Amino acid sequence: MIKKVSFLSPALLSLFLLAAASNAADYQINIWDNFFDPQTITINAGDTVTWQNYGNFIHTATSGTNCNSDGKFNSGNLSKNQAYTVQFNEAGTYTYFCIPHCMAGMTGTITVNPSTLPLPSSQQSFSYAPISSAVLNPDPSQAKPIGVGDIATGGVNLELAVSTTTFSGPADVYFAIAAPAIDSDIYLLDKNYVLQKLSAAGLVPWKEDVTVVNEQLFGKINVTTSGLPKTTYYLYLAVTPANSFGTYYLWTTYFIVQ
């Protein structure tokens, strides 16, 4: 069943007036002379870990096993009271060691559990400058789910792509484009991948009851030969719990055809 929301509904109007929130967690590992405290921790993807040196000697936090670096992260030499922070966005087990004291057993382990993007429990919006490719993150304030191709960095190719981290439950997804300098209407993508005027069709979802989105839209468009009018185009992606519109995330970005 296609769901519609009136063009003048309070839910729609409030989409453009909201502030961001963060869900990621921060953890600290204390560095003492010859040991990490705690030696092992378990976190979720998207969380950050800070190593703080409280010892009297220089220490490092260097990823790898058997005292051999694997290149994933390396604090370099940390003197007393210096700190080093890493955000872990991919699930897995990360072992690490202190270069000067590895042979003395100064090692640690971080287990990163897969994390999902929680369904919105409030009304939140986020905006960001154009990027070539989407950035996945279980923290909605850090996610950048719309990529626009090399036009983001001065190129001529528009490659719209939408990618998200897995949602924690079924969600409805809305995608819209607006070019207010040439048309006052907003165009929503429907389930058949056709752009429909919001004023005529109402607020209809692009995808219903999904748990993740990872799609390219419209292929590669060379904006110098496509005939696209020269203006700023705004892009919107909204995610709501399935069959609900009381809470949502709204991400906004743009691209410019010059």
Side-chain angles (χ1 to χ4, degrees):
M1 178 180 178
I2 295 178
K3 299 184 284 296
K4 294 186 178 182
V5 178
S6 167
F7 178 61
L8 296 177
S9 71
L12 176 62
L13 294 176
S14 63
L15 271 173
F16 305 98
L17 303 173
L18 307 170
S22 173
N23 295 311
D26 299 316
Y27 294 83
Q28 180 166 312
I29 296 175
N30 299 323
I31 301 176
W32 299 99
D33 290 334
N34 296 326
F35 68 96
F36 295 104
D37 179 27
Q39 186 178 27
T40 62
I41 63 170
T42 299
I43 64 175
N44 293 322
D47 292 344
T48 60
V49 174
T50 296
W51 286 265
Q52 178 77 47
N53 186 7
Y54 292 108
N56 293 312
F57 303 120
I58 288 174
H59 298 286
T60 76
T62 304
S63 63
T65 56
N66 299 321
C67 302
N68 294 311
S69 173
D70 60 16
K72 293 179 181 177
F73 60 85
N74 184 15
S75 67
N77 291 335
L78 297 175
S79 299
K80 186 172 184 177
N81 296 323
Q82 288 187 315
Y84 172 67
T85 299
V86 174
Q87 183 176 43
F88 292 86
N89 292 318
E90 295 184 11
T93 300
Y94 298 81
T95 55
Y96 65 94
F97 59 93
C98 171
I99 292 175
H101 306 104
C102 181
M103 298 304 295
M106 192 170 177
T107 63
T109 302
I110 299 171
T111 300
V112 183
N113 290 328
S115 185
T116 57
L117 180 64
L119 291 177
S121 58
S122 61
Q123 299 175 342
Q124 304 176 42
S125 68
F126 318 94
S127 62
Y128 57 93
I131 55 174
S132 299
S133 302
V135 174
L136 304 184
N137 198 298
D139 177 353
S141 71
Q142 300 301 314
K144 298 177 180 179
I146 306 172
V148 299
D150 69 19
I151 196 172
T153 54
V156 297
N157 294 308
L158 171 64
E159 296 180 84
L160 288 178
V162 178
S163 296
T164 68
T165 303
T166 301
F167 307 129
S168 61
D172 292 342
V173 181
Y174 303 76
F175 182 82
I177 300 176
I182 59 176
D183 192 331
S184 61
D185 220 327
I186 296 174
Y187 288 78
L188 276 89
L189 194 66
D190 68 16
K191 64 181 179 181
N192 297 313
Y193 293 80
V194 176
L195 290 169
Q196 303 281 358
K197 286 189 174 183
L198 176 61
S199 60
L203 192 61
V204 296
W206 166 38
K207 294 180 175 293
E208 296 181 273
D209 301 313
V210 298
T211 56
V212 71
V213 180
N214 184 20
E215 292 204 26
Q216 302 284 329
L217 300 176
F218 313 129
K220 181 185 292 187
I221 301 172
N222 185 316
V223 297
T224 62
T225 60
S226 65
L228 277 177
K230 295 181 179 181
T231 189
T232 301
Y233 295 82
Y234 295 91
L235 307 172
Y236 306 95
L237 186 76
V239 172
T240 73
N243 304 303
S244 173
F245 209 87
T247 59
Y248 47 77
Y249 302 129
L250 173 70
W251 291 275
T252 306
T253 189
Y254 63 92
F255 64 90
I256 301 173
V257 177
Q258 301 181 12

